[in-house]
Amino acid sequence: NKIRVREGKKRKQTRTTNMEFPVLKDNIKLTVKDVAAGDFIQAYAEQLKKSNKIRVPEWTELVKTAHFKEMAPYDADWLYVRAAALARKVYLRQNLGLSAFKKFYGGKANFGTSREHFRTASGKIIRYCLQELERNGVVERDSEKGGRRITKNGQQELDLIARELGNKA
């Protein structure tokens, strides 16, 4: 890393410093925003599965995640991953409603030779995951602004997972 020292308009000298990055300890405050999204979602999905916080209904084997999809997800734990991604999304952006999540998880519907058009994702899956996260106290409904927001306990739980991921790195 080079630090340039300027005097007036001329560059007088350039010196090189060896900056060392601090090693993360337990007292460093890491949040969900500081951790890679994929790593966080996988870690939180594993925790949801281990703790049995989300009840998996029978229809998860048969359902597609959107009506424009041709097949159901290959991963058997896809519901935990979707719930973890929803929890992260609510953490990062409060007061999002069901239709906003449907747009976020939507995609292009392929009509063969015709043009592709955007289609929204399945609302039932998103609604079920949000209801399960509400039942566990991770998110709650915001009666004033509408949509969902993260609870204090949910924020602490997600930040704890982010801190553990940061300490592993």
Side-chain angles (χ1 to χ4, degrees):
N1 296 329
K2 293 185 177 184
I3 299 175
R4 293 184 180 145
V5 179
R6 292 186 179 186
E7 288 184 17
K9 293 184 179 179
K10 298 179 187 176
R11 283 188 222 165
K12 269 285 195 177
Q13 72 186 73
T14 303
R15 58 189 157 141
T16 306
T17 60
N18 293 329
M19 297 178 67
E20 294 197 19
F21 294 99
V23 179
L24 295 174
K25 301 290 181 190
D26 289 335
N27 58 357
I28 299 287
K29 282 286 264 188
L30 280 177
T31 63
V32 175
K33 296 177 185 179
D34 302 325
V35 180
D39 297 338
F40 175 79
I41 290 171
Q42 285 294 356
Y44 190 50
E46 287 174 14
Q47 189 209 358
L48 287 174
K49 184 177 181 180
K50 286 179 186 174
S51 62
N52 290 329
K53 286 189 174 184
I54 293 185
R55 297 175 289 199
V56 180
E58 306 103 29
W59 50 261
T60 55
E61 298 170 0
L62 307 171
V63 74
K64 302 185 297 182
T65 56
H67 76 275
F68 61 88
K69 300 277 187 178
E70 291 185 11
M71 297 178 66
Y74 291 121
D75 187 11
D77 301 331
W78 67 269
L79 192 68
Y80 298 110
V81 175
R82 178 61 58 97
L86 281 168
R88 180 184 178 274
K89 199 53 120 169
V90 171
Y91 181 97
L92 295 177
R93 194 162 170 209
Q94 309 274 333
N95 302 319
L96 290 178
L98 183 66
S99 60
F101 288 120
K102 286 173 65 173
K103 288 176 196 165
F104 178 74
Y105 290 107
K108 293 179 182 178
N110 187 1
F111 297 112
T113 58
S114 300
R115 284 194 215 163
E116 296 175 334
H117 297 288
F118 181 81
R119 297 289 183 248
T120 56
S122 171
K124 167 69 176 174
I125 296 167
I126 296 169
R127 190 179 312 110
Y128 181 79
C129 290
L130 287 172
Q131 287 170 352
E132 289 295 303
L133 290 171
E134 278 181 32
R135 187 177 63 84
N136 292 317
V138 177
V139 298
E140 64 185 2
R141 288 187 182 197
D142 190 355
S143 57
E144 296 172 9
K145 296 180 182 178
R148 304 294 203 293
R149 67 178 175 213
I150 199 88
T151 61
K152 201 69 164 167
N153 291 337
Q155 183 177 357
Q156 289 173 354
E157 182 178 340
L158 297 181
D159 284 342
L160 179 68
I161 293 169
R163 202 170 304 121
E164 288 172 1
L165 281 174
N167 288 333
K168 284 182 184 176

